[in-house]
Amino acid sequence: MRLKILAVAIAMALTMEAREVKVVSPSGLLTAVVSDYPSLAVTIEKDGKPLMRVDSLSLSVKGQNVGRKPVIGSVKRYQNRENLQPLVSLKKSFIQNCYNEVLIRLGGPFALKVRVMDDAVAYRFVGSQRGQVEVTSEQFSLHPLVKVTTHRQTARSHNTSYEEPYQHAEGCSFEGLATLPVLLSGAGDLQMLVGESDVDDYPHAFLRAGNDELHPDFPRYPLEWEPWGDRSMKILREAPFIARTQGTREYPWRWVVVTDSKGLVEQTVPLQLSRKPVLSDISWIHPGKVSWEWWNGAVPYGPDIHFKAGNNYDTYAHFIDFAAEYGLEYILLDEGWALDTSDPFNGKTDLRLQELIAYGKSRGVGIVLWLPWLTVEQHFNLFATYEQWGVKGVKIDFMDRADQWMNGFYKRVVTEAARHHLFVDFHGAFTPSGLEYEYPNLLSYEGVRGMEQMGGCQPANSIWLPFIRNAVGAMDYTPGAMLSMQPELYRSERPNAASIGTRAYQLALYVVFESGIQMLADNPTLYRQNDLCTRFIASVPTTWDETRVLAAEAGKYIVVAKRKGNEWFLGGMNGEQQPRELTLSLDFLGKGTYRLQQFADGPNANYQAMDYDIAESSVTASAQITLTMARNGGWAGKLSK
């Protein structure tokens, strides 16, 4: 009898052992512990200390629910060591992609894939059902196991432009819907960024808070619409499911980056979890800078202006001349170029669009056209027409949704645009989740509280962007203001648009922020009046070979160094209401002597935000530099051999 009891105890112990699977990162720094009791869960540990538990993982598909009563079956282990070369390199031109991974059978046609990198843990469900299926829900509960502060964008509903300011709360307690990514900050500069990748044929997730934990909330599939203004549709009826998709597929990655403030900016996890590029020829894709007229009211002025400004040929020809003078690749014709927002083929009579495109080509400047998404959907042949005209790209706006249908619209757009050699910039858009790597002609997304918000765009909010929004992909913030003010003195309206933050801060944004298309938002007149600043902006690349964070504290300040070829650019942002002084090493430089050109906040920048200093010096890798940033200030520099 004792032998029988012992045998049962041993069998139970073996069963429990089989229900826990550990995956360790290549360096041993992070561990993911997958367990199936009392629910399917992944616990994230760093140096042996549990930091977060993601439990109650489940997926309801076609009448089946995987995860609620899971049984861990067979386990297959994989290792990967490869080098990636991004086609549009926003951080680095060379990335090491190293991870350990398990594929765990869960019974029936489902499995769980868990991947562990040295700075992140990711998981996704894998299905092998026949035909199409309806996904009624996907669930998880995210429990921080250490004390955290939550930083997030909060939307009132699934209908959002992803432009809300960040809000901050102790623990995981807040009202409304948080958009992804969400940052959880702990003691000792512990930073845990929560996001998703490879969201294909599926809705994007939001997060709700409850009982100091986070749960997903997905928009359901839309079934019936009605017109909503001149540029969108309002959903009247939704399906009882979140996605109708193929049963044999890999579902989106859910991931947590575990690092510090510097690591948030340097990490490349979203790219490492993305799909492979599908375009065989990318020679026609050219990231670059754009002279933009909407923010400044399309009204150049001064003694050299002998025409009435507006959405007409003379005004845009002036913008083309400015772009050509400073080596900018494109100009953007934003809302107002067309006779009607619902007609993508007929520009205003005074615009003479075909003649304007030809003039731009003669000066080496491409034309980009703004369009509402509904106009694109109703005239999908516009891509072929624009290719014939010689248009280089499109800015598509006001989607303001993230359901499966709208996510599919994004993919149909970039696919058709690629067929006709057009790049895409999405505004009124959700945040990047991998489509830009599959189709690198997708050069940027908005999904940010950018400078178009005028007085509603403050450094205290923007300083979070390198650590949250820009940490997951390209971000069209539209920087470049030449009129700068401190917040308590802000008074501005178009056409004399101004920004909050110092002049040096504005220059630094071009180095710190990442976007395949980077706008110059201000007026050519002001740029010419501030020639040295404009020439610096024009010289900053939009793609990079290397990114290093020299100093950073999430939500307070950041200084980065970025290399393109043999040149380094430095940018610093201070989002706090007090000056900051930093002493930094230049030990990242190669051998030899470099010329340092720097733009720093002037002695009066704490009050007169347009006050700045310019200096030049010779430095080597053994040098240190001390930089001082005013409140809401910045610092920008260029290092050339």
Side-chain angles (χ1 to χ4, degrees):
M1 184 68 177
R2 289 180 180 176
L3 290 174
K4 184 175 181 180
I5 293 173
L6 181 60
V8 171
I10 292 172
M12 290 178 63
L14 290 173
T15 300
M16 293 302 293
E17 181 74 20
R19 289 186 175 179
E20 185 175 281
V21 178
K22 290 188 177 181
V23 194
V24 182
S25 72
S27 72
L29 184 64
L30 290 185
T31 299
V33 182
V34 186
S35 57
D36 63 1
Y37 184 82
S39 66
L40 188 61
V42 178
T43 301
I44 301 172
E45 300 175 355
K46 182 178 182 180
D47 290 330
K49 180 181 179 180
L51 299 178
M52 184 179 294
R53 180 177 170 86
V54 188
D55 61 21
S56 302
L57 274 62
S58 69
L59 188 70
S60 296
V61 184
K62 200 178 181 180
Q64 294 182 299
N65 186 288
V66 57
R68 289 189 181 171
K69 294 181 179 179
V71 176
I72 290 179
S74 63
V75 177
K76 293 184 179 180
R77 294 184 179 270
Y78 305 89
Q79 290 184 337
N80 187 76
R81 308 289 186 274
E82 65 177 335
N83 296 320
L84 302 177
Q85 291 182 285
L87 301 180
V88 177
S89 54
L90 297 183
K91 291 184 188 293
K92 306 173 185 178
S93 58
F94 179 85
I95 294 169
Q96 290 185 318
N97 186 28
C98 302
Y99 59 82
N100 293 328
E101 184 177 274
V102 293
L103 182 67
I104 303 170
R105 300 304 310 180
L106 298 174
F110 294 102
L112 183 72
K113 184 178 287 188
V114 180
R115 180 176 296 182
V116 184
M117 296 166 267
D118 287 334
D119 58 354
V121 172
Y123 79 85
R124 73 192 316 177
F125 284 105
V126 180
S128 56
Q129 297 170 291
R130 292 183 177 179
Q132 278 201 332
V133 297
E134 293 177 356
V135 181
T136 53
S137 70
E138 180 186 344
Q139 296 296 329
F140 60 80
S141 295
L142 191 153
H143 304 264
L145 302 178
V146 294
K147 187 177 180 180
V148 298
T149 302
T150 304
H151 315 281
R152 82 285 173 193
Q153 250 186 5
T154 306
R156 295 180 180 178
S157 71
H158 294 135
N159 184 258
T160 174
S161 61
Y162 289 73
E163 295 180 34
E164 295 82 5
Y166 286 112
Q167 298 183 29
H168 317 278
E170 294 298 318
C172 295
S173 178
F174 56 83
E175 298 294 327
L177 292 168
T179 67
L180 289 176
V182 167
L183 179 63
L184 308 177
S185 299
D189 200 24
L190 170 67
Q191 307 293 342
M192 296 185 287
L193 188 67
V194 180
E196 60 184 354
S197 289
D198 196 11
V199 184
D200 187 65
D201 196 26
Y202 208 77
H204 285 253
F206 295 74
L207 294 180
R208 284 192 182 275
N211 299 321
D212 211 27
E213 60 189 33
L214 300 176
H215 306 275
D217 191 303
F218 294 93
R220 297 196 171 275
Y221 190 89
L223 292 177
E224 185 179 342
W225 301 264
E226 69 176 6
W228 193 8
D230 66 338
R231 64 196 62 193
S232 194
M233 300 288 282
K234 184 177 182 179
I235 298 172
L236 298 178
R237 188 166 62 92
E238 297 176 327
F241 52 82
I242 63 173
R244 178 179 284 146
T245 185
Q246 292 300 313
T248 299
R249 61 163 294 169
E250 293 185 317
Y251 291 88
W253 285 109
R254 312 287 169 207
W255 51 258
V256 180
V257 169
V258 182
T259 183
D260 57 15
S261 294
K262 290 184 178 181
L264 283 175
V265 181
E266 293 181 348
Q267 59 80 29
T268 56
V269 169
L271 184 150
Q272 291 169 253
L273 294 173
S274 69
R275 296 185 173 206
K276 302 298 183 184
V278 298
L279 303 181
S280 57
D281 175 22
I282 62 165
S283 61
W284 54 273
I285 301 175
H286 300 291
K289 293 194 180 65
V290 185
S291 180
W292 181 42
E293 72 345 346
W294 182 88
W295 192 77
N296 60 77
V299 187
Y301 57 90
D304 60 330
I305 303 300
H306 305 291
F307 55 84
K308 185 173 178 59
N311 301 119
N312 56 45
Y313 179 89
D314 289 335
T315 301
Y316 286 118
H318 184 82
F319 274 82
I320 288 172
D321 290 339
F322 162 71
E325 179 181 346
Y326 285 92
L328 312 180
E329 289 83 356
Y330 307 101
I331 71 163
L332 169 62
L333 280 59
D334 211 293
E335 182 172 4
W337 70 268
L339 278 172
D340 189 302
T341 57
S342 63
D343 180 358
F345 301 116
N346 291 291
K348 290 180 176 175
T349 304
D350 291 344
L351 186 66
R352 306 190 327 250
L353 183 57
Q354 302 300 316
E355 187 178 339
L356 186 71
I357 294 170
Y359 181 65
K361 184 177 180 181
S362 73
R363 302 227 57 193
V365 177
I367 302 296
V368 184
L369 296 179
W370 173 92
L371 297 160
W373 76 265
L374 185 58
T375 299
V376 176
E377 175 63 17
Q378 294 174 341
H379 300 88
F380 233 69
N381 59 331
L382 65 83
F383 298 101
T385 301
Y386 285 1
E387 181 184 29
Q388 294 173 359
W389 289 357
V391 172
K392 297 301 181 182
V394 288
K395 172 183 173 181
I396 301 176
D397 207 348
F398 291 111
M399 288 76 67
D400 296 346
R401 286 171 28 207
D403 53 69
Q404 183 193 19
W405 188 95
M406 185 57 78
N407 193 25
F409 169 79
Y410 281 57
K411 188 162 186 176
R412 287 189 291 114
V413 164
V414 296
T415 302
E416 189 67 11
R419 286 185 58 212
H420 297 287
H421 304 101
L422 295 168
F423 73 75
V424 179
D425 177 15
F426 282 122
H427 270 232
F430 49 64
T431 55
S433 61
L435 182 61
E436 66 277 14
Y437 300 117
E438 188 178 8
Y439 286 88
N441 61 312
L442 173 47
L443 290 179
S444 200
Y445 302 70
E446 190 185 27
V448 62
R449 192 172 190 83
M451 211 170 70
E452 72 172 24
Q453 298 288 340
M454 304 291 182
C457 178
Q458 301 207 13
N461 187 74
S462 299
I463 190 60
W464 288 99
L465 297 176
F467 306 100
I468 306 178
R469 165 62 182 86
N470 219 181
V472 299
M475 179 182 77
D476 193 5
Y477 175 95
T478 65
M482 293 291 102
L483 299 179
S484 303
M485 302 177 188
Q486 290 290 359
E488 70 276 11
L489 302 172
Y490 187 82
R491 301 288 187 278
S492 176
E493 290 184 8
R494 295 164 64 211
N496 297 311
S499 71
I500 296 177
T502 68
R503 170 67 64 79
Y505 169 91
Q506 279 293 320
L507 301 187
L509 298 184
Y510 286 90
V511 182
V512 179
F513 289 168
E514 300 169 4
S515 179
I517 285 293
Q518 196 66 276
M519 302 289 169
L520 276 73
D522 217 328
N523 197 311
T525 302
L526 284 174
Y527 283 131
R528 287 192 172 103
Q529 290 173 357
N530 295 272
D531 180 72
L532 286 176
C533 293
T534 306
R535 293 200 180 280
F536 174 81
I537 291 171
S539 73
V540 179
T542 51
T543 60
W544 301 97
D545 295 323
E546 187 176 354
T547 294
R548 298 194 184 198
V549 180
L550 305 185
E553 187 174 349
K556 293 185 177 181
Y557 65 91
I558 185 172
V559 181
V560 300
K562 296 185 177 182
R563 180 179 61 83
K564 182 74 170 184
N566 293 321
E567 290 186 321
W568 285 88
F569 290 79
L570 284 76
M573 298 171 61
N574 180 27
E576 297 205 285
Q577 297 306 304
Q578 58 186 10
R580 181 174 297 276
E581 183 177 287
L582 297 167
T583 299
L584 305 171
S585 171
L586 299 180
D587 58 3
F588 55 87
L589 293 176
K591 295 180 180 179
T593 300
Y594 287 76
R595 171 179 168 266
L596 171 62
Q597 178 193 31
Q598 60 178 336
F599 295 79
D601 290 324
N604 302 301
N606 286 298
Y607 177 67
Q608 169 52 275
M610 288 188 288
D611 185 28
Y612 68 98
D613 285 335
I614 299 176
E616 291 190 9
S617 59
S618 296
V619 297
T620 65
S622 62
Q624 288 187 324
I625 58 172
T626 298
L627 57 93
T628 300
M629 295 184 287
R631 65 186 181 105
N632 304 305
W635 187 94
K638 180 179 180 179
L639 288 154
S640 305
K641 274 201 169 183

